[in-house]
Amino acid sequence: MPKFAANLSMLFKELPYLDRFNAAAEAGFKAVEVLYPYQFAAKDTQRALLSNGLQLTLMNAPPPNYTGGEPGFAAVASSTERFQRDIRRVLRYSDVLQSSSIHIMAGIIKGPEAHKTFVRNLQWAADFAPYQQFTIEPLNPIDQPGYFLDDYGLAADILAEVGRHNIKLQYNSYHAHLIHGDALKVWEMFNKHIGHIQIASAPTRCEPSKGPIAFDALFSAIDSSGYTGWIGAEYTPSTKRTEDSLNWMSQLEMA
């Protein structure tokens, strides 16, 4: 039976940030994701996690550029020094919040030099923090045009080159469907590399109960694979209140 984590950057957004933790716990979640917790004191997020008995399963790196910069720059050669500096900051947050995984974002760039830079930076991060699991995630070109990591085959090649046990693939049913047209097939081809899962319908990125992705078959395949980690519910609710979008979870529990 899959175990789900609420992505608090997308769910319960009708509530103030710190109130979302209690709402997630009341909805039955035992774990949460927070993509960018950096604008809040780590201790505040830690208290919200502890007081609600929640585990943090994922956060993104590097911290966002709130002035409007691109999402991530791990593949940008000119930003290697900044990457290392920001990863140190991310790890300070993770040490407080005990995040199971940190998603390293590649950035908007293309070309052979970007490939080499991404591999080198991932190796540096993995060696600098061998106790921490990191992930990389292909993002679809509609939402993130020009993003370096835009294909699951490329991600598998990158992981082989990096060659570190604590760098794994992050699977997202929404991105997988938009990139390759078949989220289940992507899971079947690449699940041996996967360290974290996120789900949403496609093409609208709403709750996992609408659209062409066969989630019953996907959840069955995930169970059969032996995956025991968390599955992040990273979607935009089609309802005004997040709790009204959670029928898919209760229906799965009754199945």
Side-chain angles (χ1 to χ4, degrees):
M1 178 67 174
K3 54 183 185 179
F4 298 104
N7 185 299
L8 298 187
S9 299
M10 297 183 72
L11 302 186
F12 303 104
K13 288 182 69 175
E14 63 271 25
L15 300 173
Y17 171 69
L18 292 175
D19 291 344
R20 298 175 197 174
F21 294 84
N22 181 63
E26 288 187 346
F29 290 100
K30 304 298 183 185
V32 296
E33 302 175 344
V34 180
L35 300 185
Y36 297 109
Y38 309 103
Q39 61 182 307
F40 304 95
K43 288 292 186 182
D44 289 342
T45 297
Q46 182 192 51
R47 280 191 289 270
L49 289 166
L50 293 174
S51 63
N52 289 287
L54 294 168
Q55 177 182 341
L56 183 66
T57 63
L58 180 76
M59 51 194 283
N60 282 358
N65 181 347
Y66 292 108
T67 61
E70 288 85 4
F73 43 81
V76 180
S78 61
S79 296
T80 294
E81 182 178 342
R82 180 184 171 192
F83 171 81
Q84 294 184 4
R85 182 175 64 250
D86 277 5
I87 286 295
R88 290 185 174 94
R89 179 187 174 199
V90 170
L91 289 168
R92 288 196 292 272
Y93 265 82
S94 185
D95 286 345
V96 174
L97 303 179
Q98 295 294 295
S99 180
S100 302
S101 295
I102 296 173
H103 167 210
I104 295 179
M105 302 190 72
I108 309 295
I109 194 167
K110 295 291 183 182
E113 186 62 27
H115 187 119
K116 294 177 183 176
T117 300
F118 196 38
V119 169
R120 287 197 302 266
N121 280 337
L122 290 173
Q123 289 173 332
W124 178 87
D127 294 342
F128 183 78
Y131 56 85
Q132 176 69 60
Q133 176 175 290
F134 297 96
T135 61
I136 59 173
E137 178 189 9
L139 304 183
N140 77 80
I142 298 172
D143 290 338
Q144 295 291 346
Y147 193 75
F148 171 75
L149 194 62
D150 59 0
D151 181 274
Y152 275 79
L154 172 60
D157 291 343
I158 292 286
L159 290 173
E161 291 182 59
V162 170
R164 301 296 192 272
H165 71 91
N166 57 331
I167 302 274
K168 295 186 181 295
L169 179 60
Q170 185 167 311
Y171 170 87
N172 185 301
S173 63
Y174 166 75
H175 289 296
H177 180 84
L178 291 188
I179 294 170
H180 296 291
D182 190 332
L184 178 57
K185 185 176 181 180
V186 171
W187 170 264
E188 292 171 343
M189 291 180 63
F190 297 102
N191 68 78
K192 66 179 181 180
H193 303 291
I194 291 169
H196 188 68
I197 298 172
Q198 293 175 321
I199 53 168
S201 291
T204 60
R205 205 172 191 176
C206 66
E207 55 269 21
S209 58
K210 303 176 182 179
I213 300 175
F215 282 99
D216 287 348
L218 178 58
F219 292 145
S220 178
I222 291 171
D223 276 344
S224 297
S225 74
Y227 177 83
T228 59
W230 294 95
I231 298 177
E234 193 201 37
Y235 65 84
T236 301
S238 63
T239 56
K240 289 184 179 180
R241 298 191 312 165
T242 296
E243 62 193 85
D244 294 332
S245 76
L246 297 174
N247 290 341
W248 62 272
M249 196 163 61
S250 58
Q251 290 171 1
L252 183 66
E253 291 172 351
M254 291 187 296

